[in-house]
Amino acid sequence: MSEALNRRGFLGLAGSLAVAAVTGCGSGDSPAATPKAGGRLRAVFAGGGAKEVLDPHLQSLFVDIARHKAMYEKLVELGPDLKPVPRLAAKWEPDAQAATWRFTLRDATFHDGKPLTSQDVLYSLARITDPNVPERVAQSSLAALDLRRCKAIDQHTVELTLAAPNAEFPALLAGIGTQIVRDGFKDPAKPNGTGAFKFTSFEAGRSMVATRFDDYWDGTAKLEELQILSADAEARANALQGGQAEYANEMTATFARTAEAGKTVKIVAAKGSTTQAFVMKVDQPPFDNPDVRLAFKLLADRQRLVDVVLAGRGVVGNDLFGKGFQYYAADLPQRERDVEQAKALLKKAGLIGKELEIFTSDASAGFVEAATLFAEQVAEAGVKLKVTTGSAQTYAKDLLTKGVIGSHRSGAMPIPQYITDRLLSKSPFNATHWRRPAFDAAFAAAQVQTDEAVRAAKYGVLQKTLRDEGGILAWGHPDFLVAISSKVQGVQAVPPNTLDSGRFDKVWLA
């Protein structure tokens, strides 16, 4: 992010935004702490420079998501297990086919004093799915909406109809870029949401300032003012340790180890809430051979990768996304390392003594280190992996076409969404080139099941297929690390992209 603030730029900005004096000390999760009103909290996130946006339907960065979460809300959010939970929609109910959904709205108020109505919901969904603005991020996930058949039943009840049944529809409404705006909303530079904080000012790549909204439906925030700031990883660390910020998002395990040695910074860790993996293209030699895919999975020393690359801040993976999330196939046995079996499979495939290339980059912390360590592990079976480093700026796109094996990372999202985005024949981010019409059909059949237990069982079968035959070698699930000042209370240890992640209306300064 070339336009993100450098260390000097951030400190200069923070110095000009003096915080009200706050006294006292305490841990971020102390059960004995009594919430205290007042004060200004400065939260610093990885910056995006001029790419940062005020439009809640164009967000993509954590800093954008946090900014919009403060000012806007969704009908539905995701809980810590990535299961949908009510927000602006107090409840919902599908028809027997899960094709038409009726949502009952809460009594909520926009910052301009207008009450939330069904028409605001219909306008927001039409704006998100407008084909003339294809960059709106939730457009593909909400493509099944048949807006011509959606309607307001009354001021607080809205009926949403889908072109095809989908029992996971509430989770789609909890996705990135699905915030509800006022009917007729035109100017993103003048935010008007129902969130706990109302807009004061914004400068892309530097900061947003917002103040407490006294009429917030979910209880008035304790903080008087919230600043969301942008900076790179080093600047985030320096700002927190130097007292120029009270909250720093997405910190490294190295910083966490250093910070915990002192008394002024606390680490809040969402255990194992993201995924690190290697992805193998199943339609290209040698990984078009299922024996080779299995051999590479057997060669991974997962605990060693977690201990070294993640500095122990994570748990081992089992070649599946979403450990601990709703629908995760936890009953599948953990895959263990077996070098001898791997050697036999590779010998059968004629790969002993051959060289392959593993494609990686420094686009995500630990990618290069993991690829290098895995190359050493594969070498024990007589195969050489040459580590090739690509551009960090274009890596996500390059991975789709370059290399037969590469580094992969995913943040938190519902498991059905991960499958939709990455593992169907027409998925836009299908880095493993897993294209199986029978798998697509089975997934579609699972999604129309309104009985959650039946749906979960079908997802379990699909995950077993992916673990046994797919191209994802998910070796670990890193902790998601947030650092806070010892003055900060109420920060929750939850996965990113969930309700309480980057949320500040329940936070206070001791």
Side-chain angles (χ1 to χ4, degrees), residues 285-359:
F287 296 112
D288 56 348
N289 183 338
D291 285 346
V292 176
R293 298 198 295 274
L294 177 57
F296 270 62
K297 292 174 183 177
L298 291 169
L299 286 172
D301 186 337
R302 298 156 198 269
Q303 190 60 59
R304 177 73 175 155
L305 284 160
V306 169
D307 291 343
V308 174
V309 179
L310 306 181
R313 296 271 184 173
V315 295
V316 298
N318 197 28
D319 302 331
L320 291 172
F321 168 80
K323 193 169 189 175
F325 297 167
Q326 184 187 26
Y327 303 128
Y328 182 76
D331 58 331
L332 295 176
Q334 174 63 48
R335 179 165 279 129
E336 303 291 346
R337 193 169 197 237
D338 190 332
V339 177
E340 293 308 311
Q341 183 185 353
K343 279 183 179 179
L345 291 169
L346 293 172
K347 182 177 181 181
K348 178 182 173 184
L351 277 185
I352 301 295
K354 299 295 179 64
E355 179 179 282
L356 300 174
E357 184 176 86
I358 184 167
F359 182 57

Coordinates of all heavy atoms in Angstrom, one line a residue, residues 285-359:
P285 N 0.0 -31.0 -14.5 CA 1.0 -31.9 -13.9 C 1.9 -31.2 -13.0 O 2.2 -30.0 -13.2 CB 1.7 -32.4 -15.2 CG 0.8 -32.1 -16.3 CD 0.0 -30.9 -15.9
P286 N 2.4 -31.9 -11.9 CA 2.1 -33.2 -11.6 C 0.8 -33.4 -10.7 O 0.5 -34.5 -10.3 CB 3.3 -33.6 -10.8 CG 3.7 -32.4 -10.1 CD 3.4 -31.2 -11.0
F287 N 0.2 -32.2 -10.3 CA -0.9 -32.3 -9.4 C -2.2 -32.7 -9.9 O -3.2 -32.8 -9.2 CB -1.0 -31.0 -8.6 CG 0.3 -30.7 -7.8 CD1 1.1 -29.6 -8.2 CD2 0.6 -31.4 -6.7 CE1 2.3 -29.4 -7.4 CE2 1.7 -31.2 -6.0 CZ 2.6 -30.2 -6.3
D288 N -2.3 -33.0 -11.3 CA -3.4 -33.7 -11.8 C -3.5 -35.1 -11.4 O -4.5 -35.8 -11.6 CB -3.5 -33.5 -13.3 CG -2.2 -34.1 -14.0 OD1 -1.2 -34.3 -13.3 OD2 -2.3 -34.2 -15.3
N289 N -2.4 -35.6 -10.8 CA -2.4 -37.0 -10.3 C -2.7 -36.9 -8.8 O -2.0 -36.3 -8.0 CB -0.9 -37.5 -10.4 CG -0.8 -39.0 -10.0 OD1 -1.6 -39.4 -9.2 ND2 0.2 -39.6 -10.4
P290 N -3.8 -37.6 -8.4 CA -4.3 -37.5 -7.0 C -3.2 -38.1 -6.0 O -3.2 -37.7 -4.8 CB -5.6 -38.3 -6.9 CG -5.6 -39.1 -8.2 CD -4.8 -38.3 -9.2
D291 N -2.4 -39.0 -6.5 CA -1.3 -39.6 -5.6 C -0.3 -38.5 -5.2 O 0.2 -38.5 -4.1 CB -0.6 -40.7 -6.3 CG -1.5 -42.0 -6.4 OD1 -2.4 -42.1 -5.6 OD2 -1.1 -42.9 -7.1
V292 N 0.0 -37.6 -6.2 CA 0.9 -36.6 -5.9 C 0.3 -35.6 -4.9 O 1.0 -35.1 -4.0 CB 1.4 -35.9 -7.2 CG1 2.3 -34.7 -6.9 CG2 2.0 -36.9 -8.1
R293 N -0.9 -35.2 -5.1 CA -1.6 -34.3 -4.1 C -1.5 -34.9 -2.7 O -1.2 -34.2 -1.8 CB -3.0 -34.0 -4.6 CG -3.1 -33.3 -5.9 CD -4.5 -32.7 -6.1 NE -5.6 -33.6 -6.2 CZ -6.0 -34.2 -7.3 NH1 -5.4 -34.1 -8.5 NH2 -7.1 -35.0 -7.3
L294 N -1.9 -36.2 -2.6 CA -1.8 -36.8 -1.3 C -0.4 -36.9 -0.7 O -0.2 -36.6 0.5 CB -2.4 -38.2 -1.4 CG -2.4 -39.0 -0.1 CD1 -3.2 -38.3 1.0 CD2 -3.0 -40.5 -0.3
A295 N 0.5 -37.1 -1.6 CA 1.9 -37.2 -1.1 C 2.4 -35.9 -0.5 O 3.0 -35.8 0.6 CB 2.9 -37.6 -2.3
F296 N 2.0 -34.8 -1.2 CA 2.4 -33.5 -0.6 C 1.7 -33.2 0.7 O 2.3 -32.6 1.6 CB 2.2 -32.4 -1.7 CG 3.3 -32.2 -2.6 CD1 3.8 -33.2 -3.4 CD2 4.0 -30.9 -2.6 CE1 4.9 -33.0 -4.3 CE2 5.1 -30.7 -3.5 CZ 5.5 -31.7 -4.3
K297 N 0.5 -33.6 0.8 CA -0.2 -33.4 2.1 C 0.4 -34.2 3.2 O 0.5 -33.8 4.3 CB -1.7 -33.8 1.9 CG -2.5 -32.9 1.0 CD -3.9 -33.4 0.7 CE -4.7 -32.5 -0.3 NZ -6.0 -33.0 -0.6
L298 N 0.9 -35.4 2.8 CA 1.6 -36.3 3.8 C 2.9 -35.7 4.2 O 3.5 -36.1 5.3 CB 1.7 -37.7 3.3 CG 0.4 -38.4 3.1 CD1 0.6 -39.7 2.4 CD2 -0.3 -38.7 4.5
L299 N 3.5 -34.9 3.4 CA 4.9 -34.4 3.6 C 4.9 -33.2 4.5 O 5.9 -32.8 5.1 CB 5.6 -34.1 2.3 CG 6.1 -35.3 1.5 CD1 6.6 -34.9 0.2 CD2 7.2 -36.1 2.3
A300 N 3.8 -32.5 4.7 CA 3.7 -31.3 5.5 C 3.9 -31.6 7.0 O 3.0 -32.4 7.5 CB 2.4 -30.6 5.2
D301 N 4.9 -31.1 7.6 CA 5.0 -31.1 9.0 C 4.3 -29.9 9.6 O 4.8 -28.8 9.7 CB 6.5 -31.1 9.4 CG 6.7 -31.3 10.9 OD1 5.7 -31.0 11.7 OD2 7.8 -31.7 11.3
R302 N 3.0 -30.1 9.8 CA 2.1 -29.0 10.1 C 2.5 -28.3 11.5 O 2.4 -27.0 11.5 CB 0.7 -29.5 10.2 CG 0.2 -30.0 8.8 CD -0.9 -31.0 8.9 NE -1.0 -31.8 7.7 CZ -1.8 -31.5 6.7 NH1 -2.5 -30.4 6.7 NH2 -1.8 -32.2 5.6
Q303 N 2.8 -29.0 12.5 CA 3.1 -28.4 13.7 C 4.4 -27.6 13.6 O 4.5 -26.5 14.2 CB 3.3 -29.5 14.8 CG 3.4 -28.9 16.2 CD 2.2 -28.2 16.6 OE1 1.1 -28.7 16.7 NE2 2.4 -26.9 17.0
R304 N 5.4 -28.1 12.8 CA 6.6 -27.3 12.6 C 6.3 -26.0 11.9 O 6.9 -25.0 12.2 CB 7.6 -28.2 11.8 CG 8.9 -27.5 11.5 CD 9.8 -27.4 12.7 NE 11.1 -26.9 12.3 CZ 11.9 -26.2 13.1 NH1 11.5 -26.0 14.4 NH2 13.1 -25.8 12.7
L305 N 5.4 -26.1 10.9 CA 5.1 -24.8 10.2 C 4.4 -23.8 11.1 O 4.7 -22.6 11.1 CB 4.1 -25.2 9.0 CG 4.8 -25.8 7.8 CD1 3.8 -26.5 6.9 CD2 5.5 -24.7 7.0
V306 N 3.5 -24.3 12.0 CA 2.8 -23.4 12.9 C 3.9 -22.9 13.9 O 3.8 -21.7 14.2 CB 1.7 -24.2 13.7 CG1 1.2 -23.4 14.9 CG2 0.6 -24.5 12.8
D307 N 4.7 -23.7 14.4 CA 5.7 -23.3 15.4 C 6.7 -22.2 14.9 O 7.0 -21.2 15.5 CB 6.5 -24.5 16.0 CG 5.7 -25.4 16.8 OD1 4.6 -24.9 17.3 OD2 6.1 -26.5 17.1
V308 N 7.1 -22.5 13.6 CA 8.2 -21.6 13.0 C 7.6 -20.4 12.4 O 7.9 -19.2 12.6 CB 9.0 -22.4 12.1 CG1 10.0 -21.4 11.3 CG2 9.8 -23.5 12.8
V309 N 6.6 -20.6 11.4 CA 6.1 -19.5 10.6 C 5.1 -18.6 11.4 O 5.2 -17.4 11.3 CB 5.4 -20.1 9.4 CG1 4.8 -18.9 8.6 CG2 6.3 -20.9 8.5
L310 N 4.4 -19.2 12.3 CA 3.4 -18.5 13.1 C 3.8 -18.2 14.5 O 3.1 -17.7 15.3 CB 2.0 -19.2 13.1 CG 1.4 -19.7 11.8 CD1 0.1 -20.4 12.0 CD2 1.2 -18.4 10.9
A311 N 5.1 -18.6 14.8 CA 5.6 -18.4 16.1 C 4.7 -19.1 17.2 O 4.6 -18.6 18.3 CB 5.9 -17.0 16.4
G312 N 4.1 -20.2 16.8 CA 3.2 -20.9 17.7 C 1.8 -20.2 17.8 O 1.0 -20.8 18.6
R313 N 1.6 -19.1 17.2 CA 0.3 -18.4 17.3 C -0.7 -19.0 16.3 O -1.1 -18.4 15.3 CB 0.5 -16.9 17.0 CG 1.4 -16.3 18.0 CD 0.6 -15.7 19.2 NE 1.4 -15.0 20.1 CZ 0.9 -14.3 21.2 NH1 -0.4 -14.3 21.4 NH2 1.7 -13.7 22.0
G314 N -1.2 -20.2 16.5 CA -2.1 -20.8 15.6 C -2.3 -22.3 15.9 O -1.7 -22.8 16.9
V315 N -3.1 -23.0 15.1 CA -3.3 -24.4 15.3 C -3.1 -25.1 14.0 O -3.2 -24.5 12.9 CB -4.7 -24.7 15.8 CG1 -4.9 -24.2 17.3 CG2 -5.8 -24.1 14.9
V316 N -2.8 -26.4 14.0 CA -2.6 -27.1 12.7 C -3.9 -27.3 12.0 O -5.0 -27.3 12.5 CB -2.0 -28.5 13.0 CG1 -0.6 -28.4 13.7 CG2 -2.9 -29.4 13.8
G317 N -3.7 -27.4 10.6 CA -4.9 -27.5 9.8 C -5.0 -29.0 9.3 O -4.1 -29.8 9.4
N318 N -6.2 -29.2 8.7 CA -6.5 -30.6 8.2 C -6.9 -30.6 6.7 O -7.8 -31.3 6.4 CB -7.5 -31.2 9.1 CG -7.6 -32.7 9.0 OD1 -6.7 -33.4 8.6 ND2 -8.8 -33.3 9.2
D319 N -6.3 -29.6 6.0 CA -6.6 -29.5 4.5 C -8.0 -29.1 4.2 O -8.6 -29.4 3.2 CB -6.2 -30.8 3.8 CG -4.8 -31.2 4.0 OD1 -3.9 -30.3 4.2 OD2 -4.4 -32.4 4.0
L320 N -8.6 -28.3 5.2 CA -9.9 -27.7 5.0 C -9.9 -26.3 5.5 O -9.2 -26.0 6.5 CB -11.0 -28.6 5.8 CG -11.3 -29.9 5.3 CD1 -12.2 -30.7 6.3 CD2 -12.0 -29.9 3.9
F321 N -10.7 -25.5 5.0 CA -10.9 -24.1 5.5 C -11.9 -24.1 6.6 O -12.8 -25.0 6.7 CB -11.5 -23.3 4.3 CG -12.0 -21.9 4.8 CD1 -11.1 -20.9 5.0 CD2 -13.3 -21.7 5.0 CE1 -11.6 -19.6 5.4 CE2 -13.8 -20.5 5.4 CZ -12.9 -19.5 5.7
G322 N -11.8 -23.2 7.5 CA -12.8 -22.8 8.5 C -12.9 -23.7 9.8 O -13.9 -23.9 10.3
K323 N -11.7 -24.1 10.3 CA -11.7 -24.9 11.5 C -12.4 -24.1 12.6 O -12.1 -22.9 12.9 CB -10.3 -25.2 11.9 CG -10.2 -26.2 13.0 CD -8.7 -26.7 13.2 CE -8.6 -27.9 14.1 NZ -7.2 -28.4 14.2
G324 N -13.4 -24.7 13.3 CA -14.2 -24.1 14.3 C -15.4 -23.3 13.9 O -16.2 -22.9 14.7
F325 N -15.6 -23.1 12.6 CA -16.7 -22.4 12.1 C -17.9 -23.3 11.9 O -17.8 -24.5 11.9 CB -16.4 -21.7 10.7 CG -15.3 -20.7 10.8 CD1 -14.7 -20.2 9.6 CD2 -14.8 -20.2 12.0 CE1 -13.7 -19.3 9.6 CE2 -13.8 -19.2 12.0 CZ -13.2 -18.8 10.9
Q326 N -19.1 -22.7 11.7 CA -20.3 -23.5 11.5 C -20.1 -24.4 10.2 O -19.6 -23.9 9.2 CB -21.5 -22.5 11.2 CG -22.8 -23.3 11.1 CD -23.9 -22.3 10.7 OE1 -23.7 -21.3 10.1 NE2 -25.1 -22.7 11.0
Y327 N -20.5 -25.6 10.4 CA -20.4 -26.7 9.3 C -19.1 -27.3 9.2 O -18.9 -28.2 8.4 CB -20.9 -26.1 7.9 CG -22.2 -25.5 7.9 CD1 -22.4 -24.2 7.3 CD2 -23.4 -26.2 8.3 CE1 -23.7 -23.6 7.3 CE2 -24.6 -25.6 8.3 CZ -24.8 -24.3 7.7 OH -26.0 -23.7 7.7
Y328 N -18.0 -26.9 9.9 CA -16.7 -27.5 9.7 C -16.8 -29.0 10.0 O -17.3 -29.4 11.1 CB -15.7 -26.8 10.6 CG -14.3 -27.4 10.4 CD1 -13.5 -27.0 9.3 CD2 -13.7 -28.2 11.4 CE1 -12.3 -27.5 9.1 CE2 -12.5 -28.7 11.2 CZ -11.7 -28.4 10.1 OH -10.5 -28.9 9.9
A329 N -16.2 -29.8 9.2 CA -16.2 -31.2 9.4 C -15.1 -31.7 10.4 O -14.1 -32.2 10.1 CB -15.9 -31.9 8.0
A330 N -15.4 -31.5 11.6 CA -14.5 -31.7 12.7 C -14.3 -33.2 13.0 O -13.4 -33.6 13.7 CB -15.0 -31.0 14.0
D331 N -15.2 -34.0 12.4 CA -15.1 -35.5 12.7 C -14.1 -36.2 11.8 O -13.8 -37.4 12.0 CB -16.5 -36.1 12.5 CG -17.1 -35.9 11.1 OD1 -16.7 -34.9 10.5 OD2 -17.9 -36.7 10.7
L332 N -13.6 -35.5 10.8 CA -12.6 -36.1 10.0 C -11.2 -36.3 10.7 O -10.8 -35.3 11.4 CB -12.4 -35.3 8.7 CG -13.6 -35.2 7.8 CD1 -13.3 -34.3 6.6 CD2 -14.0 -36.6 7.3
P333 N -10.6 -37.4 10.6 CA -9.3 -37.6 11.3 C -8.2 -36.6 10.9 O -8.2 -36.3 9.7 CB -8.9 -39.1 11.0 CG -9.6 -39.4 9.7 CD -10.9 -38.6 9.8
Q334 N -7.4 -36.2 11.8 CA -6.3 -35.3 11.5 C -5.3 -36.0 10.6 O -4.8 -37.1 11.0 CB -5.7 -34.7 12.8 CG -4.4 -33.9 12.6 CD -4.7 -32.6 11.8 OE1 -5.7 -31.9 12.2 NE2 -3.9 -32.3 10.8
R335 N -4.9 -35.3 9.5 CA -3.9 -35.9 8.7 C -2.5 -35.8 9.3 O -2.2 -34.7 9.7 CB -3.9 -35.3 7.3 CG -2.9 -35.8 6.4 CD -3.1 -35.4 4.9 NE -4.1 -36.3 4.3 CZ -5.2 -35.9 3.7 NH1 -5.5 -34.6 3.5 NH2 -6.1 -36.8 3.1
E336 N -1.8 -36.9 9.5 CA -0.5 -36.9 10.1 C 0.6 -37.0 9.0 O 0.4 -37.5 7.9 CB -0.4 -38.0 11.1 CG -1.4 -38.0 12.2 CD -1.3 -36.9 13.2 OE1 -0.2 -36.2 13.2 OE2 -2.2 -36.6 13.9
R337 N 1.8 -36.6 9.4 CA 2.9 -36.7 8.5 C 3.4 -38.1 8.3 O 3.4 -38.9 9.3 CB 4.1 -35.9 9.0 CG 5.2 -35.7 7.9 CD 6.2 -34.6 8.4 NE 7.0 -34.2 7.2 CZ 8.3 -34.2 7.1 NH1 9.0 -34.7 8.1 NH2 8.9 -33.8 6.0
D338 N 3.6 -38.5 7.1 CA 4.1 -39.9 6.8 C 5.0 -39.8 5.6 O 4.6 -40.0 4.4 CB 2.9 -40.8 6.5 CG 3.3 -42.3 6.4 OD1 4.4 -42.6 6.1 OD2 2.4 -43.1 6.8
V339 N 6.3 -39.6 5.8 CA 7.3 -39.4 4.8 C 7.4 -40.7 3.9 O 7.5 -40.6 2.7 CB 8.6 -39.0 5.3 CG1 9.7 -38.9 4.2 CG2 8.5 -37.7 6.1
E340 N 7.4 -41.9 4.5 CA 7.6 -43.1 3.8 C 6.4 -43.4 2.8 O 6.7 -43.8 1.7 CB 7.7 -44.3 4.8 CG 9.0 -44.2 5.6 CD 10.2 -44.0 4.7 OE1 10.4 -44.8 3.7 OE2 11.1 -43.2 5.0
Q341 N 5.2 -43.1 3.3 CA 4.1 -43.3 2.3 C 4.1 -42.3 1.2 O 3.9 -42.6 0.0 CB 2.7 -43.2 3.1 CG 1.5 -43.4 2.2 CD 0.2 -43.2 2.9 OE1 0.2 -42.9 4.1 NE2 -0.9 -43.3 2.1
A342 N 4.5 -41.1 1.5 CA 4.7 -40.0 0.5 C 5.7 -40.4 -0.5 O 5.5 -40.3 -1.7 CB 5.0 -38.7 1.2
K343 N 6.9 -41.0 0.0 CA 7.9 -41.4 -1.0 C 7.4 -42.5 -1.9 O 7.7 -42.4 -3.1 CB 9.1 -42.0 -0.2 CG 10.1 -40.9 0.4 CD 11.2 -41.7 1.1 CE 12.2 -40.7 1.7 NZ 13.3 -41.4 2.4
A344 N 6.6 -43.4 -1.4 CA 6.1 -44.5 -2.2 C 5.2 -43.9 -3.3 O 5.3 -44.3 -4.5 CB 5.4 -45.5 -1.4
L345 N 4.4 -43.0 -2.9 CA 3.4 -42.3 -3.9 C 4.2 -41.5 -5.0 O 3.9 -41.6 -6.2 CB 2.4 -41.4 -3.2 CG 1.4 -42.2 -2.3 CD1 0.7 -41.2 -1.4 CD2 0.4 -43.0 -3.1
L346 N 5.2 -40.8 -4.5 CA 6.0 -40.0 -5.5 C 6.9 -40.9 -6.4 O 7.0 -40.5 -7.6 CB 6.9 -39.0 -4.7 CG 6.1 -37.9 -3.9 CD1 7.1 -37.1 -3.1 CD2 5.4 -37.0 -4.9
K347 N 7.4 -42.0 -5.9 CA 8.1 -42.9 -6.7 C 7.2 -43.5 -7.8 O 7.6 -43.6 -9.0 CB 8.7 -44.0 -5.9 CG 9.6 -45.0 -6.6 CD 10.2 -46.1 -5.7 CE 11.0 -47.0 -6.5 NZ 11.7 -48.1 -5.6
K348 N 6.0 -43.9 -7.4 CA 5.0 -44.4 -8.3 C 4.7 -43.4 -9.4 O 4.5 -43.7 -10.6 CB 3.7 -44.8 -7.6 CG 2.6 -45.3 -8.4 CD 1.4 -45.6 -7.6 CE 0.1 -46.0 -8.4 NZ -1.1 -46.1 -7.5
A349 N 4.7 -42.1 -9.1 CA 4.4 -41.0 -10.0 C 5.6 -40.6 -10.8 O 5.5 -39.7 -11.7 CB 3.8 -39.8 -9.3
G350 N 6.8 -41.1 -10.5 CA 8.0 -40.8 -11.2 C 8.6 -39.4 -10.9 O 9.2 -38.8 -11.8
L351 N 8.3 -38.9 -9.7 CA 8.8 -37.6 -9.3 C 10.0 -37.6 -8.5 O 10.6 -36.5 -8.3 CB 7.7 -36.9 -8.6 CG 6.6 -36.2 -9.4 CD1 5.6 -35.5 -8.5 CD2 7.1 -35.3 -10.4
I352 N 10.5 -38.7 -8.0 CA 11.7 -38.7 -7.2 C 12.9 -38.2 -8.0 O 13.1 -38.6 -9.2 CB 12.1 -40.1 -6.7 CG1 10.9 -40.7 -5.9 CG2 13.4 -40.1 -5.9 CD1 10.6 -39.9 -4.6
G353 N 13.6 -37.2 -7.4 CA 14.7 -36.6 -8.1 C 14.4 -35.4 -9.0 O 15.2 -34.8 -9.6
K354 N 13.1 -35.1 -9.2 CA 12.6 -34.0 -10.0 C 12.5 -32.7 -9.3 O 12.5 -32.7 -8.0 CB 11.2 -34.4 -10.6 CG 11.2 -35.6 -11.5 CD 12.1 -35.5 -12.7 CE 12.1 -36.7 -13.6 NZ 10.7 -37.1 -14.1
E355 N 12.5 -31.6 -10.0 CA 12.3 -30.3 -9.4 C 11.0 -29.6 -9.8 O 10.6 -29.7 -11.0 CB 13.5 -29.4 -9.9 CG 13.4 -28.0 -9.3 CD 14.6 -27.1 -9.7 OE1 15.7 -27.2 -9.1 OE2 14.4 -26.2 -10.6
L356 N 10.3 -29.1 -8.9 CA 9.1 -28.3 -9.1 C 9.3 -26.9 -8.6 O 10.2 -26.6 -7.8 CB 7.9 -29.0 -8.4 CG 7.5 -30.4 -8.8 CD1 6.4 -30.9 -7.9 CD2 7.1 -30.4 -10.2
E357 N 8.4 -26.0 -9.0 CA 8.5 -24.6 -8.5 C 7.3 -24.3 -7.7 O 6.1 -24.6 -8.0 CB 8.5 -23.7 -9.8 CG 8.6 -22.2 -9.4 CD 8.7 -21.4 -10.7 OE1 7.7 -21.0 -11.2 OE2 9.8 -21.1 -11.2
I358 N 7.5 -23.7 -6.5 CA 6.4 -23.2 -5.7 C 6.4 -21.7 -5.7 O 7.4 -21.0 -5.5 CB 6.6 -23.7 -4.2 CG1 5.4 -23.3 -3.4 CG2 7.9 -23.3 -3.6 CD1 5.3 -24.0 -2.0
F359 N 5.2 -21.2 -6.1 CA 5.0 -19.7 -6.3 C 4.5 -19.1 -5.0 O 3.5 -19.5 -4.4 CB 4.0 -19.5 -7.5 CG 3.8 -18.1 -7.9 CD1 4.8 -17.3 -8.3 CD2 2.5 -17.6 -7.8 CE1 4.6 -16.0 -8.6 CE2 2.2 -16.3 -8.2 CZ 3.3 -15.5 -8.6

